[in-house]
C-alpha cells in the first residue's frame, strides 16, 4: 500500500483551470473524502491521480516514486467512475473479471475472486446479466466490484453511492469502509454529501474552483472551518454569516445592528492583534438559543434581535429562518415552543462556538494569526 | 379504464392508416420485384398484371445455372462463376471498407491531431464526387500499373476494382463509424486503460464491440455497393459479374426474358436477404450501462 502525494499540481483545459496548484498528501491506508461543489475539479483530481490526465505542471508521487509520467496501467489504481463506465457488451461477470483477464490471472482464480467480491457487494445474482439490465444502484455496485477485484494500491471513488437508496447506501458505505481498512487500501472518495464524508473519512479535503480550501479531520473541518467557503459548504443548513462591527474599549465586542456580542478571550486577543474594524460573525444553526422574551435573557450574556421569517417543523426540531436586519440566518429550535411568522426573537449565540472571519480574505481569524 | 381503451383504439387506427400509407407508397416497388420474381418461375413474363400469363416452371433457374441464355441452346455462360466473382468483389469491398473506416473513424473520433477537422471536411468533399467523374483518372492509374502477365493482370483487376470501389465508399463510412465511436463515453475507454489494457486491446475488446451495429451497417452498405456495381466492374474487371452479365444480355435479341428475370432475382437476393437478416442489428442501439 502506498501514500499519495500531490505537489503543486495544476491542470488546465485551455483557459479553464480545473485544478489549481494543489498540494495534498493522502497517507498510507487513509480514507480521504474529497468534498466540493459541482465543477470544482474533483473528478479531474482523481483522473490526475489515476494517470488519465497529465498535470499541466506539478508532480504526483506514490510513496517516493514519481508517477507523474507513468501510464495508468503501471499505477495499479482502481477507479469507480461517476457514470459507472461499465462495458455494456460484457456480462457483469466479465465486467468484473476484465482487469484480471488483462493481468492473465488463471481462470480458476478469476472465478474465485469475482464471486468473492460479488458476494461482498451483494450482486452474485446479477453476474449473468448485462449492465443495461441493471438498475443504477446495481450498476454502481458492479463498478465498485470491478475496481476492487484487482486489489489496487489506491482506490479512487467518484461519487460511488449517489444512486443507492438511503438504506442500501448506509450499509454499502460502512461495508466499503470496513473493506478499505481490512485491505489497507489508500482511498480517495469524492462526494457531494457532507454527511457521508463526515461518516466515512479519516480526513476531509474541501475543494472549490480547483483550489484546496482545507484538509483536516472531520470535526475540525466542521467546528473550525478555515474560511467562509468551508463553513458555508459544510453543514445542513450550513454556517450562518452576519456582518459585524468591532468596538475596542476596555474589552472588545461586536456590534450587530443595535446589539452587542461579547467575545471569548481567544478572539479578544486575536482582534487586538489584527485591529479589524469589521468582521463576519459565523455560527452554526444548532449553536443558538432562540428566546422569545427579553426576560429570558440571562444577565451578562449577549443577544442579537431578529424577526422570524419562516417556520419549518422537522420533527425533532424546528428550523427557523430569521431576519437580522437585512441578513437571513437559519437556526434550529426545540419544538416545545410555539413560533410564528413575524415574531420578534432574541438569538443567544453559544460564545464557545462562534467563529469570526476577515471580510476581505474570508479567512477565519484564528488561521490569520497562525500564518 | 374506458378512456385508456379509447386511446388505444385511436392509436391503433392511426397505426393501421400509417401501415396502409407505407404499403401504398411502396406498392410500385413491391409490384415490380414481385413480378420479377414471379416471372422467373414462369415460361412467360408476367408483366401486364395478367395472371393468365403465369405458367409455373423452374426451368429458368435450371437453365440459368446451366449457363444457357435461351431454351433452345444459346451461348454457354458460367453463371456460377459470375456469382462467385460478384461475391469476391462484394466481400472484398466490404472488407477493405470496414478495415479502413474502423481505424480511420476511431482516429478521427478519439485522437487529437493537427488538421483533424480539415481532414474530416475533405473526406466529406470526397464523398460528394460521383464515382463516374473520377473514373478516367482511376483508369489511367489502372493502365499504368497493370501487370503484363495476363493471369497476374486478371488477379490484379480483381484487387484493383475492389480497392477502387471501396475508396468510393470509405468517406461516408468513416463519417458514419466516427459517429458511433463518438457516442462511446470516454470513461468506458479510460476504465479499460486503468484496468491495464493496452490501447490496441481497448480498441479491439472494448471499442469495437460497442460500435458493432455501426460496423455491420458499413459492411452491409459496402457489400451491396460492391455487389451492385456496374461501371467500375465493367471498366476494370477482366471477368464478369452478375451485373455485367445481365447488362450485356438485356439488349441481346435472342435473350429469353424469364431467364433474365431469374438472373435478376439472383442478383437482388443478397440485398433482400441482408436487409431482412440484419434489420435488428441495424436498429439495435448499443445497450445501456452508460448513464451520465
Ligand atoms: N475534458 C475537459 N475539457 C475541458 N474542460 C473540462 C474537462 N473536464 C473538466 N473540465 C472543466 O474543469 C472543471 C472541473 O471539472 P470536474 O469534472 O473535475 O468537476 P467535478 O468537481 O467533478 O464536478 P461534478 O461534481 O459536477 O462531477 C469544470 O469547470 C469543467 O467544465
Ligand atoms: Mg465529477
Amino acid at each position: 500500500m502506498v501514500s499519495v502525494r500531490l505537489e503543486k499540481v495544476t491542470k488546465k483545459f485551455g483557459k479553464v483551470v480545473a485544478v489549481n496548484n494543489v498540494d495534498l498528501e493522502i497517507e498510507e491506508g487513509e480514507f480521504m473524502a474529497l468534498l466540493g461543489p459541482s465543477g470544482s475539479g474533483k473528478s479531474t483530481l482523481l483522473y490526475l491521480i489515476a494517470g488519465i490526465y497529465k498535470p499541466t505542471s506539478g508532480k504526483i508521487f506514490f510513496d517516493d516514486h514519481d508517477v507523474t509520467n507513468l501510464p495508468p496501467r503501471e499505477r495499479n489504481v482502481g477507479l469507480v467512475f461517476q457514470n459507472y463506465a461499465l462495458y455494456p457488451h460484457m456480462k457483469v461477470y466479465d465486467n468484473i473479471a476484465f482487469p484480471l483477464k488483462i493481468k492473465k490471472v488463471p481462470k480458476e482464480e478469476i472465478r474465485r475472486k469475482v464471486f468473492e467480491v460479488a458476494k461482498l457487494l451483494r450482486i452474485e445474482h446479477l453476474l449473468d446479466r448485462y449492465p443495461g439490465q441493471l438498475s443504477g444502484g446495481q450498476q454502481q455496485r458492479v463498478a465498485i466490484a470491478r475496481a476492487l477485484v484487482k486489489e489496487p494500491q489506491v482506490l479512487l471513488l467518484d461519487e460511488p453511492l449517489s444512486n443507492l437508496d438511503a438504506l442500501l447506501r448506509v450499509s454499502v458505505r460502512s461495508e466499503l469502509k470496513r473493506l478499505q481498512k481490512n485491505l489497507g487500501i489508500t482511498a480517495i472518495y469524492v462526494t457531494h454529501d457532507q454527511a457521508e464524508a463526515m461518516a466515512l473519512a479519516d480526513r476531509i479535503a474541501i475543494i472549490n474552483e480547483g483550489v484546496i480550501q482545507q484538509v483536516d479531520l472531520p470535526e475540525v473541518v466542521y467546528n473550525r472551518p478555515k474560511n467562509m467557503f468551508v463553513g458555508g459548504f459544510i453543514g445542513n443548513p450550513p454556517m450562518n454569516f452576519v456582518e459585524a462591527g468591532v468596538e475596542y474599549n476596555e474589552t472588545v465586542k461586536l456590534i450587530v445592528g443595535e446589539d452587542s456580542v461579547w467575545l471569548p478571550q481567544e478572539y479578544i486577543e486575536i482582534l487586538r492583534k489584527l485591529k479589524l474594524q469589521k468582521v463576519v460573525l459565523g455560527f452554526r444553526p444548532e449553536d443558538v438559543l432562540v428566546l422569545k422574551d427579553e426576560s429570558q435573557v440571562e444577565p451578562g450574556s449577549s443577544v442579537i434581535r431578529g424577526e422570524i421569517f419562516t417556520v419549518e417543523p422537522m420533527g425533532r426540531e424546528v428550523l427557523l429562518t430569521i431576519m437580522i436586519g437585512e441578513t437571513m440566518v437559519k437556526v434550529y429550535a426545540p419544538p416545545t415552543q410555539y413560533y410564528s411568522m413575524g415574531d420578534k426573537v432574541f438569538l443567544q449565540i453559544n460564545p464557545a462556538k462562534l467563529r469570526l472571519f476577515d471580510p476581505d480574505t474570508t479567512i477565519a481569524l484564528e488561521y490569520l494569526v497562525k500564518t | 379504464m374506458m378512456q385508456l381503451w379509447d386511446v388505444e383504439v385511436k392509436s391503433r387506427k392511426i397505426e393501421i392508416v400509417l401501415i396502409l400509407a407505407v404499403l401504398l407508397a411502396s406498392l410500385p416497388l413491391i409490384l415490380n420485384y414481385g413480378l420479377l420474381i414471379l416471372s422467373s418461375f414462369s415460361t412467360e413474363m408476367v408483366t401486364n398484371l395478367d395472371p393468365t400469363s403465369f405458367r409455373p416452371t423452374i426451368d429458368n433457374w435450371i437453365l440459368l445455372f446451366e449457363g444457357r441464355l435461351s431454351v433452345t441452346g444459346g451461348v454457354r455462360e458460367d453463371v456460377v462463376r459470375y456469382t462467385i466473382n460478384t461475391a469476391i468483389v462484394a466481400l472484398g469491398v466490404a472488407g477493405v471498407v470496414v478495415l479502413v473506416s474502423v481505424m480511420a473513424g476511431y482516429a478521427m473520433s478519439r485522437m487529437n491531431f493537427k488538421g483533424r477537422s480539415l481532414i474530416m471536411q475533405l473526406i466529406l468533399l470526397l464523398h460528394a464526387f460521383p464515382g463516374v467523374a473520377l473514373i478516367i483518372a482511376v483508369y489511367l492509374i489502372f493502365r499504368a500499373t497493370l501487370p503484363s502477365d495476363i493471369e497476374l493482370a486478371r488477379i490484379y483487376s480483381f484487387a484493383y476494382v475492389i480497392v477502387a470501389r471501396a475508396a468510393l465508399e470509405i468517406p461516408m463510412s468513416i463519417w458514419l463509424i466516427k459517429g458511433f465511436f463518438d457516442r462511446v463515453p470516454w470513461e468506458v475507454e479510460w476504465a479499460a486503460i486503468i484496468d491495464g489494457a493496452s490501447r490496441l486491446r481497448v480498441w479491439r475488446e472494448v471499442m469495437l464491440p460497442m460500435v458493432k451495429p455501426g460496423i455491420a451497417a458499413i459492411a452491409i452498405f459496402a457489400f451491396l455497393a460492391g455487389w451492385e456495381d456496374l461501371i467500375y466492374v465493367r471498366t476494370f474487371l477482366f471477368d464478369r459479374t452478375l451485373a455485367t452479365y445481365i447488362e450485356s444480355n438485356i439488349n441481346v435479341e435472342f435473350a429469353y426474358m424469364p431467364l433474365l428475370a431469374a438472373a435478376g432475382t439472383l442478383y437482388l437476393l443478397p440485398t433482400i436477404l441482408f436487409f431482412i437478416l440484419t434489420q435488428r442489428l441495424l436498429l439495435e442501439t448499443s445497450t445501456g450501462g452508460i448513464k451520465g
Side-chain angles (χ1 to χ4, degrees), chain A residues 11-266:
Chain A
K11 177 68 187 175
K12 294 183 189 166
F13 296 106
K15 284 209 171 94
V16 181
V17 185
V19 167
N20 195 350
N21 204 22
V22 164
D23 283 307
L24 185 64
E25 176 154 12
I26 301 106
E27 283 160 28
E28 193 178 318
E30 188 180 16
F31 200 120
M32 169 85 81
L34 188 58
L35 259 177
S38 192
S40 56
K42 305 182 295 292
S43 298
T44 308
L45 199 65
L46 290 197
Y47 294 163
L48 283 164
I49 296 170
I52 292 167
Y53 292 153
K54 289 246 143 51
T56 312
S57 62
K59 283 197 156 103
I60 299 169
F61 295 88
F62 285 5
D63 283 341
D64 288 326
H65 305 293
D66 184 347
V67 298
T68 316
N69 291 310
L70 230 52
R73 102 179 85 110
E74 285 165 42
R75 297 194 188 193
N76 193 20
V77 300
L79 176 52
V80 178
F81 286 87
Q82 203 166 1
N83 59 359
Y84 329 138
L86 299 176
Y87 311 124
H89 57 290
M90 297 183 197
K91 288 190 170 161
V92 168
Y93 179 91
D94 297 305
N95 260 279
I96 301 174
F98 188 75
L100 301 179
K101 264 183 208 155
I102 301 264
K103 276 196 201 162
K104 300 207 169 63
V105 175
K107 260 215 167 82
E108 258 321 297
E109 203 180 328
I110 292 183
R111 231 183 122 66
R112 193 175 52 74
K113 285 189 169 167
V114 170
F115 274 95
E116 208 176 274
V117 73
K119 197 167 159 215
L120 204 67
L121 288 155
R122 278 166 264 166
I123 46 174
E124 310 116 289
H125 58 296
L126 304 174
L127 289 175
D128 230 16
R129 294 205 207 159
Y130 285 98
Q133 301 165 321
L134 304 181
S135 75
Q138 291 169 331
Q139 291 187 26
Q140 246 167 3
R141 277 178 285 159
V142 176
I144 296 172
R146 185 179 63 183
L148 277 178
V149 79
K150 60 178 176 178
E151 294 162 16
Q153 308 187 71
V154 180
L155 183 61
L156 307 168
L157 304 125
D158 201 345
E159 303 195 28
L161 306 184
S162 57
N163 263 299
L164 304 191
D165 61 61
L167 219 61
L168 196 59
R169 195 175 174 140
V170 172
S171 77
V172 173
R173 89 182 176 202
S174 46
E175 196 63 64
L176 205 63
K177 172 142 190 185
R178 203 182 57 84
L179 206 76
Q180 181 264 343
K181 285 294 173 227
N182 282 352
L183 300 174
I185 308 174
T186 309
I188 304 172
Y189 186 101
V190 167
T191 174
H192 270 121
D193 180 347
Q194 24 108 6
E196 196 163 279
M198 301 288 250
L200 276 178
D202 297 322
R203 284 192 302 160
I204 297 178
I206 290 130
I207 185 171
N208 187 36
E209 291 178 351
V211 180
I212 296 279
Q213 306 289 319
Q214 184 169 8
V215 186
D216 261 316
L217 299 173
E219 57 271 22
V220 177
V221 169
Y222 190 81
N223 293 319
R224 298 187 152 260
K226 210 168 199 164
N227 56 36
M228 286 172 66
F229 174 81
V230 175
F233 187 69
I234 304 250
N236 185 26
M239 187 174 262
N240 297 298
F241 298 111
V242 180
E243 284 183 15
V246 190
E247 202 180 273
Y248 295 89
N249 281 335
E250 61 274 23
T251 181
V252 180
K253 61 181 183 178
L254 300 185
I255 308 293
V256 178
E258 295 152 25
D259 302 307
S260 318
V261 179
W262 308 114
L263 292 171
Q265 195 56 35
E266 182 201 7

Side-chain angles (χ1 to χ4, degrees), chain B residues 35-86:
Chain B
L35 290 180
L36 180 76
I37 294 167
L38 219 55
S39 301
S40 75
F41 289 103
S42 162
T43 53
E44 244 179 83
M45 290 301 276
V46 194
T47 38
N48 299 323
L49 284 179
D50 175 9
T52 56
S53 60
F54 179 65
R55 296 205 200 87
T57 169
I58 55 163
D59 282 353
N60 300 324
W61 286 90
I62 295 170
L63 285 171
L64 180 71
F65 282 101
E66 280 176 354
R68 282 191 278 178
L69 279 186
S70 73
V71 225
T72 51
V75 192
R76 280 211 173 251
E77 296 267 7
D78 195 347
V79 175
V80 176
R81 180 72 229 172
Y82 301 158
T83 312
I84 292 171
N85 288 346
T86 318

